[in-house]
Structures are given as C-alpha cells and as structure tokens.
Amino acid sequence: MRTGDFAKWTRRFEDERERRRVQGDPDWGQSATLHPAVWASIQRFQVGEDGDGANLVGKAEEAGDGDYAQAIRLFVAEEQNHARLLARLLAAGGVPTLPGHWSDTVFVRLRRFLGLRMELLTLMIAEVVALRYYRALRDGTHDSLTSDVAGRILSDEQRHVPFHCERLHASLVELPRAMRRPVMAVWQLLLLAVSLVVAADHGPALRRLGIGRLRFVADVAASSGEVVSAVLAPRPDAWTSVD
C-alpha cells in the first residue's frame, strides 16, 4: 500500500466527528416506546457494537500505514459511539443493556485468531448485515427517537463499508488473480449463512419492523454483489447503497 492512500479516510472520519459534535445528541428527553421483541433485538445489536477494538487497531498498526491505522482508530470510535447511542436509547425505554450475547462472542473470538485480511472480511459480514438492520429500524417504527438513532448509525455504516472495501482491495491484490473472485464467493456464502442466523434470531423484531425473515435475507444477499464489485475494483466515491 502506498503511504497516504488512507489520508482521505482519516479526514472524512475527522470531518464526521466534528459534524457530530456540532449536531449534538438526539433528544434523550423523549421517551421511546417499542414492542418487546424490538427492544430485545436492539439489546443484542448494542452488545455487537460495543468493544474497545484493540485487536483490530493493533493489526492495523502492524500493517505499516499510519494513515490507515489512524482511520481504523476513528472507525472504532464511531462503533463505540453506536454502542453508546443504543445504550441511551434502551435507557430511554427503561430497558437494560445485556452483559453479552453468544453471537457477539463467536464473532469476537473468531476475529482475534485471524490476520487483518480475514478479520476485515469477517467484520464486513457484520457491517453489511447492519446496513439492512438499521434501515429496517429507522423506517419500520413510528418512534421518533428510535428512527433518529438508527438513522445516525446507518449513515455511519454507509461510510464504513466502502472504507473496508478499499482496504480489502489492497489486500486481495496481493493474492494471485485467480484466487480473488473465489475468496469473495466464499465470503458471499458466509454472509448468506450469517444473515439466515440473524433473520432467525431477530425474526419477531423484523416482522414488527415490517420486513419478514426471507425479505431480510434476500436484501442482504442482493447488496453483497455491490460489495464484491467494490472490493475487486474499488470506486469508493461511487458507493450507491440504498439509504
């Protein structure tokens, strides 16, 4: 990787941090009213957003690109802010956070034993699933505080995906050309499997948000083609994910 390739991403994360500072938090004085199944779903996603990101930051630093390592630190800070926003949303509804969840434990333990390339591929599965989930949460409830929180998180995730796509492209070009598409084909299969698990686990909430299990899985699968294209031939500024 050429030094400076990720300087633009550092600037984008910093610009977004400043925008959030100026915008301020949602109006936490509002109460939040949701179906118990949706609250339970948000609890599980809040656990997934939480974490210090130290393992990922360490691998990014080892990659030897200071701009990329700084961008990763800013990315982790945004994920931690998502956890904070969801925790505050739960508090507004009088719902506690969870100490942990099996799905998050599996992902974290798996990623810790992988190199940067495989960790990012695993992380991207969670990010692509999150895109569809937060869009459903934003659009599927009449609760204004929930829609506000979900919309803020969705906006961040729509920047995170092309950011990771660009780094994955730089990593995959180190592989023989014949291996690159098969690697991404396996990634798509894993994404499909995870989306099926999420749909099963969060099915009652998804129904309350106006999207059935099969539609959720189909939408996630449909979005994977754009991700694969961006990884194999990145055009991050042309990202067109539906918002």
Side-chain angles (χ1 to χ4, degrees), residues 9 22 43 57 62 73 96 103 108 137 152 184 216 220-221:
W9 283 107
V22 173
Q43 284 179 306
V57 169
E62 290 173 2
R73 284 189 284 270
S103 57
V108 169
L137 189 61
R152 291 173 187 233
M184 295 309 299
F216 179 83
V220 172

Side-chain angles (χ1 to χ4, degrees), residues 5-230:
D5 278 355
F6 283 89
K8 65 180 181 297
W9 283 107
T10 298
R11 291 192 296 270
R12 289 174 186 177
F13 279 115
E14 289 173 341
D15 288 346
E16 183 61 22
R17 181 178 60 189
E18 177 61 16
R19 190 197 65 79
R20 284 198 305 272
R21 187 192 68 78
V22 173
Q23 179 187 31
D25 263 9
D27 180 6
W28 300 121
Q30 302 177 73
S31 61
T33 304
L34 298 169
H35 188 274
V38 179
W39 282 127
S41 177
I42 293 172
Q43 284 179 306
R44 281 169 257 169
F45 265 81
Q46 193 276 335
V47 172
E49 297 281 6
D50 206 5
D52 61 14
N55 191 59
L56 178 59
V57 169
K59 291 175 183 177
E61 290 174 343
E62 290 173 2
D65 185 322
D67 289 325
Y68 177 66
Q70 177 59 13
I72 281 290
R73 284 189 284 270
L74 293 166
F75 157 74
V76 169
E78 285 193 356
E79 293 290 303
Q80 292 170 335
N81 186 54
H82 296 172
R84 182 186 69 85
L85 290 172
L86 292 175
R88 293 292 301 271
L89 175 61
L90 290 166
V95 179
T97 58
L98 297 177
H101 190 261
W102 68 265
S103 57
D104 180 63
T105 301
V106 170
F107 262 92
V108 169
R109 288 183 178 176
L110 176 63
R111 286 164 47 193
R112 282 179 179 170
F113 291 102
L114 301 174
L116 179 60
R117 178 190 298 141
M118 293 304 297
E119 174 154 5
L120 289 178
L121 285 168
T122 305
L123 176 61
M124 277 284 286
I125 290 174
E127 296 280 90
V128 174
V129 168
L131 281 175
R132 188 62 186 96
Y133 177 80
Y134 287 118
R135 180 153 60 94
L137 189 61
R138 182 195 64 182
D139 299 340
T141 174
H142 298 296
D143 184 83
S144 59
L145 181 58
T146 300
S147 295
D148 185 5
V149 169
R152 291 173 187 233
I153 296 174
L154 178 63
S155 179
D156 287 344
E157 298 291 4
Q158 288 171 328
R159 284 182 296 102
H160 294 174
V161 171
F163 167 59
H164 295 313
C165 283
E166 189 165 343
R167 182 60 182 85
L168 280 168
H169 171 76
S171 180
L172 259 63
V173 295
E174 299 172 356
L175 298 176
R177 183 180 297 273
M179 289 183 60
R180 298 171 196 170
R181 285 192 179 277
V183 166
M184 295 309 299
V186 172
W187 177 83
Q188 284 182 290
L189 289 174
L190 291 172
L191 173 63
L192 176 61
V194 170
S195 66
L196 286 167
V197 172
V198 172
D201 197 30
H202 295 261
L206 293 173
R207 284 196 299 273
R208 289 285 172 175
L209 297 173
I211 176 173
R213 287 184 172 98
L214 292 180
R215 174 63 184 278
F216 179 83
V217 172
D219 286 351
V220 172
S223 70
S224 69
E226 189 174 9
V227 172
V228 171
S229 295

